[in-house]
Amino acid sequence: MSASATSATLSRRARTPIFLLLVVGVVTVLYPIVFLLTSAFRSNADYLQNPYGLPGELTFRNFVVLWNSYGVGQAVMNSLTVVLIALVVELALAILAGYALAKYDVPGAKLFRAGFVSVMLIPSQVLIIPIYLLLSRLNLVGEFAGLILVYIATGLSFATFFLSLTFRGVPTELLEAARIDGAGFFRTLRSVAAPVGASGIATLAVLQFLAMWNELLFAYILLPDDDKTMLTPALAQIGGRYLSDQPLVSAGLLITALPPLLLLTFASRYVMQGLAAGVVR
Amino acid sequence: MGILAVREGGDVAAVTSPPSERQSRLARRGRMIGLAAVLPAFLVVVGFMIYPVLFALYISFNDSNGLRFDWVGLANYLDILADPQVHQIFITNLKFLISVPLVIFAALVVSILLFERIRGWRAFRVLFFLPNVLSAAVIGIMFKSVFGYNGPFMAALEALGGERIDPFVDGNLAIAVIVLALVWSGFGYQSLLLLSGLTAIDPAVFEAAALDGAGWWTRLWHITLPNIRRVLGFVFIINVLYTFSSLFGFVFVMTAGGPGFETTTLDYLVYLRAFSTSNLGSGAALAVLLFMFIGLLTLVQARFFKLSEDD
């Protein structure tokens, strides 16, 4: 029995109850999600009759109402804009810096590394007051650019650290060969280092997307205007104000949770790899 | 320089064993290019991370409304340390520590079960990880919905003959719901951390013990758990960290710190002080104190679990 090669030290008889126990665990994890799925497509009247049962009728009305009348459509666009711009800029900066730190003899590399590592663990509570003041002096409070800057800055040190580890794994001989053929910094990066480190870059991109998409505090305080609000704070407002209309709130939660859930479904490999990186972090 | 560079992980530009002028020029060029590549990222970090932290320190020594800064020395710190409201909120924060053993227990059980390579364990792994990709805001509102007065939990309770209550009007019940949300959202990730620790154990140890006739529970107690105590220590530390630094999202969407201040945590108080009082210095001082407290706590725990020792 090859399955026992790993650890299968339990008797076969014991494995069925364990399987069932894990199924119970999964049901516990999935229940709130299933609750959202069922309640989001119901009318409020139908929901109030039987909150935990199955819906009597299905409707998309909640989504339409949220999208058109509660500014959720605008908020989705705002979130996508901010997160994608911040992600692209952050990755570009981190790829350059990470590659240089991994493969070039950068003067003062120790200082740079120490700088990046030392800010990695700073909690956002310490940053909210000074960053708010700093951005309001730059007239960037209430502007997408302010939040984009903050997202880039708060993620950048981890991203650089992570990518310098990724690029360190690229064989130096490959880079040497490209250099002998006359390739410079950008050429070796683009045609050798980036392709070899692609999985690491993708992992980082997924991790950072999740972090930015889910962020609440800075999104809430830095973009106070309704027409520029991000999705997560918009959802927090809806959840606070309209809790008597549970289907509406559920629909909002589903919209907010959809991109992360899609990532977990279709890029679970990268999400899981990012997890391993979390241990390093 | 060449030796150093190679030791640093194989530098491209400075592998210069036969020193010729052309190569040293190339090496210098490589160093400059490397510097130019690191600088943009570093400047962003300096401008929007390092400078703000120093600025926060400066603000904390001032009485400030954001425009005027009046130097008051340590007054903000002394006020916070003597503030009965802060004491009360610190105690509230300690209540959230109940989540630590709960999360670790759940994570430990799941990781050991997954370690047995039960059918479909990969799918289980992904499913247990699901809460970790969701925003604290989503999870918080979800739990508020499920456990709220009109939610399915209370409806089911009523159907079973109980009485509907609103847990969010009682501080301790509200904390219990937040703790549940913490456990629900945290145990999957941490069971994976523990699983990676379990996977690192040499299988030969288990086989030898099994040959000696040690039963499953004996092996669990004498081999499995001692072998993952470092990972366990790490998981313990990050959970304690979470309870002091990562509750903002949950508190913000579930209770807004209420009823009264009964579910206000230290990290939520920083936010309250920052945006609802006239003295930013007090908020900054509280943030700095919290940061220092977390740092100290982490160091003490790391020493307690001997995380730095290679054993």
mmCIF file of all heavy atoms in Angstrom, chain B residues 274-292:
data_model
loop_
_atom_site.group_PDB
_atom_site.id
_atom_site.type_symbol
_atom_site.label_atom_id
_atom_site.label_comp_id
_atom_site.label_asym_id
_atom_site.label_seq_id
_atom_site.Cartn_x
_atom_site.Cartn_y
_atom_site.Cartn_z
ATOM 1 N N ALA B 274 -7.642 59.042 16.643
ATOM 2 C CA ALA B 274 -7.047 59.762 15.520
ATOM 3 C C ALA B 274 -8.072 60.629 14.812
ATOM 4 O O ALA B 274 -7.762 61.718 14.352
ATOM 5 C CB ALA B 274 -6.417 58.785 14.537
ATOM 6 N N PHE B 275 -9.330 60.147 14.723
ATOM 7 C CA PHE B 275 -10.274 60.848 13.870
ATOM 8 C C PHE B 275 -11.483 61.417 14.592
ATOM 9 O O PHE B 275 -12.371 61.947 13.960
ATOM 10 C CB PHE B 275 -10.710 59.941 12.717
ATOM 11 C CG PHE B 275 -9.571 59.670 11.788
ATOM 12 C CD1 PHE B 275 -8.833 58.512 11.890
ATOM 13 C CD2 PHE B 275 -9.195 60.615 10.856
ATOM 14 C CE1 PHE B 275 -7.754 58.281 11.068
ATOM 15 C CE2 PHE B 275 -8.118 60.399 10.019
ATOM 16 C CZ PHE B 275 -7.395 59.226 10.127
ATOM 17 N N SER B 276 -11.523 61.296 15.910
ATOM 18 C CA SER B 276 -12.670 61.901 16.562
ATOM 19 C C SER B 276 -12.280 62.778 17.739
ATOM 20 O O SER B 276 -13.122 63.287 18.427
ATOM 21 C CB SER B 276 -13.645 60.811 17.024
ATOM 22 O OG SER B 276 -13.014 59.997 17.970
ATOM 23 N N THR B 277 -10.978 62.943 17.977
ATOM 24 C CA THR B 277 -10.591 63.863 19.036
ATOM 25 C C THR B 277 -9.765 64.992 18.431
ATOM 26 O O THR B 277 -9.307 64.902 17.294
ATOM 27 C CB THR B 277 -9.747 63.177 20.122
ATOM 28 O OG1 THR B 277 -8.544 62.699 19.516
ATOM 29 C CG2 THR B 277 -10.488 62.024 20.752
ATOM 30 N N SER B 278 -9.583 66.037 19.210
ATOM 31 C CA SER B 278 -8.868 67.179 18.669
ATOM 32 C C SER B 278 -7.359 67.021 18.829
ATOM 33 O O SER B 278 -6.591 67.766 18.241
ATOM 34 C CB SER B 278 -9.335 68.452 19.372
ATOM 35 O OG SER B 278 -9.268 68.257 20.760
ATOM 36 N N ASN B 279 -6.934 66.030 19.621
ATOM 37 C CA ASN B 279 -5.494 65.892 19.843
ATOM 38 C C ASN B 279 -4.937 64.668 19.133
ATOM 39 O O ASN B 279 -5.077 63.533 19.597
ATOM 40 C CB ASN B 279 -5.186 65.812 21.341
ATOM 41 C CG ASN B 279 -3.684 65.754 21.587
ATOM 42 O OD1 ASN B 279 -2.889 65.943 20.668
ATOM 43 N ND2 ASN B 279 -3.315 65.476 22.823
ATOM 44 N N LEU B 280 -4.310 64.908 17.979
ATOM 45 C CA LEU B 280 -3.704 63.809 17.240
ATOM 46 C C LEU B 280 -2.524 63.213 17.996
ATOM 47 O O LEU B 280 -2.185 62.055 17.826
ATOM 48 C CB LEU B 280 -3.234 64.308 15.871
ATOM 49 C CG LEU B 280 -4.336 64.652 14.882
ATOM 50 C CD1 LEU B 280 -3.735 65.189 13.597
ATOM 51 C CD2 LEU B 280 -5.184 63.430 14.587
ATOM 52 N N GLY B 281 -1.870 64.049 18.835
ATOM 53 C CA GLY B 281 -0.725 63.566 19.590
ATOM 54 C C GLY B 281 -1.077 62.371 20.451
ATOM 55 O O GLY B 281 -0.313 61.415 20.553
ATOM 56 N N SER B 282 -2.250 62.410 21.043
ATOM 57 C CA SER B 282 -2.673 61.310 21.901
ATOM 58 C C SER B 282 -2.841 60.023 21.093
ATOM 59 O O SER B 282 -2.395 58.954 21.513
ATOM 60 C CB SER B 282 -3.987 61.683 22.589
ATOM 61 O OG SER B 282 -4.503 60.584 23.273
ATOM 62 N N GLY B 283 -3.475 60.142 19.915
ATOM 63 C CA GLY B 283 -3.635 58.969 19.067
ATOM 64 C C GLY B 283 -2.304 58.402 18.628
ATOM 65 O O GLY B 283 -2.091 57.188 18.655
ATOM 66 N N ALA B 284 -1.387 59.314 18.240
ATOM 67 C CA ALA B 284 -0.069 58.860 17.799
ATOM 68 C C ALA B 284 0.680 58.176 18.933
ATOM 69 O O ALA B 284 1.309 57.134 18.735
ATOM 70 C CB ALA B 284 0.732 60.042 17.257
ATOM 71 N N ALA B 285 0.583 58.756 20.132
ATOM 72 C CA ALA B 285 1.277 58.160 21.279
ATOM 73 C C ALA B 285 0.715 56.777 21.577
ATOM 74 O O ALA B 285 1.458 55.828 21.868
ATOM 75 C CB ALA B 285 1.142 59.064 22.496
ATOM 76 N N LEU B 286 -0.604 56.639 21.469
ATOM 77 C CA LEU B 286 -1.219 55.336 21.708
ATOM 78 C C LEU B 286 -0.737 54.320 20.675
ATOM 79 O O LEU B 286 -0.412 53.175 21.011
ATOM 80 C CB LEU B 286 -2.743 55.467 21.656
ATOM 81 C CG LEU B 286 -3.523 54.213 21.989
ATOM 82 C CD1 LEU B 286 -3.293 53.798 23.425
ATOM 83 C CD2 LEU B 286 -5.013 54.418 21.744
ATOM 84 N N ALA B 287 -0.659 54.752 19.400
ATOM 85 C CA ALA B 287 -0.193 53.853 18.341
ATOM 86 C C ALA B 287 1.243 53.416 18.606
ATOM 87 O O ALA B 287 1.584 52.234 18.487
ATOM 88 C CB ALA B 287 -0.298 54.536 16.979
ATOM 89 N N VAL B 288 2.088 54.375 19.012
ATOM 90 C CA VAL B 288 3.491 54.049 19.282
ATOM 91 C C VAL B 288 3.587 53.091 20.461
ATOM 92 O O VAL B 288 4.325 52.096 20.427
ATOM 93 C CB VAL B 288 4.312 55.329 19.543
ATOM 94 C CG1 VAL B 288 5.712 54.986 20.031
ATOM 95 C CG2 VAL B 288 4.396 56.172 18.281
ATOM 96 N N LEU B 289 2.812 53.367 21.511
ATOM 97 C CA LEU B 289 2.824 52.481 22.679
ATOM 98 C C LEU B 289 2.381 51.068 22.291
ATOM 99 O O LEU B 289 2.987 50.074 22.705
ATOM 100 C CB LEU B 289 1.888 53.018 23.760
ATOM 101 C CG LEU B 289 2.463 54.038 24.731
ATOM 102 C CD1 LEU B 289 1.395 54.479 25.717
ATOM 103 C CD2 LEU B 289 3.655 53.447 25.488
ATOM 104 N N LEU B 290 1.311 50.986 21.483
ATOM 105 C CA LEU B 290 0.809 49.681 21.060
ATOM 106 C C LEU B 290 1.867 48.940 20.261
ATOM 107 O O LEU B 290 2.117 47.743 20.483
ATOM 108 C CB LEU B 290 -0.458 49.876 20.216
ATOM 109 C CG LEU B 290 -1.148 48.611 19.704
ATOM 110 C CD1 LEU B 290 -1.573 47.736 20.874
ATOM 111 C CD2 LEU B 290 -2.356 48.962 18.846
ATOM 112 N N PHE B 291 2.529 49.660 19.361
ATOM 113 C CA PHE B 291 3.584 49.078 18.545
ATOM 114 C C PHE B 291 4.719 48.545 19.427
ATOM 115 O O PHE B 291 5.180 47.411 19.271
ATOM 116 C CB PHE B 291 4.101 50.146 17.578
ATOM 117 C CG PHE B 291 5.113 49.656 16.596
ATOM 118 C CD1 PHE B 291 5.085 48.352 16.115
ATOM 119 C CD2 PHE B 291 6.098 50.511 16.119
ATOM 120 C CE1 PHE B 291 6.019 47.904 15.195
ATOM 121 C CE2 PHE B 291 7.031 50.068 15.198
ATOM 122 C CZ PHE B 291 6.993 48.775 14.737
ATOM 123 N N MET B 292 5.128 49.359 20.411
ATOM 124 C CA MET B 292 6.198 48.937 21.299
ATOM 125 C C MET B 292 5.781 47.733 22.136
ATOM 126 O O MET B 292 6.547 46.790 22.343
ATOM 127 C CB MET B 292 6.619 50.102 22.210
ATOM 128 C CG MET B 292 7.532 51.081 21.502
ATOM 129 S SD MET B 292 7.880 52.638 22.361
ATOM 130 C CE MET B 292 7.592 52.261 24.045
#
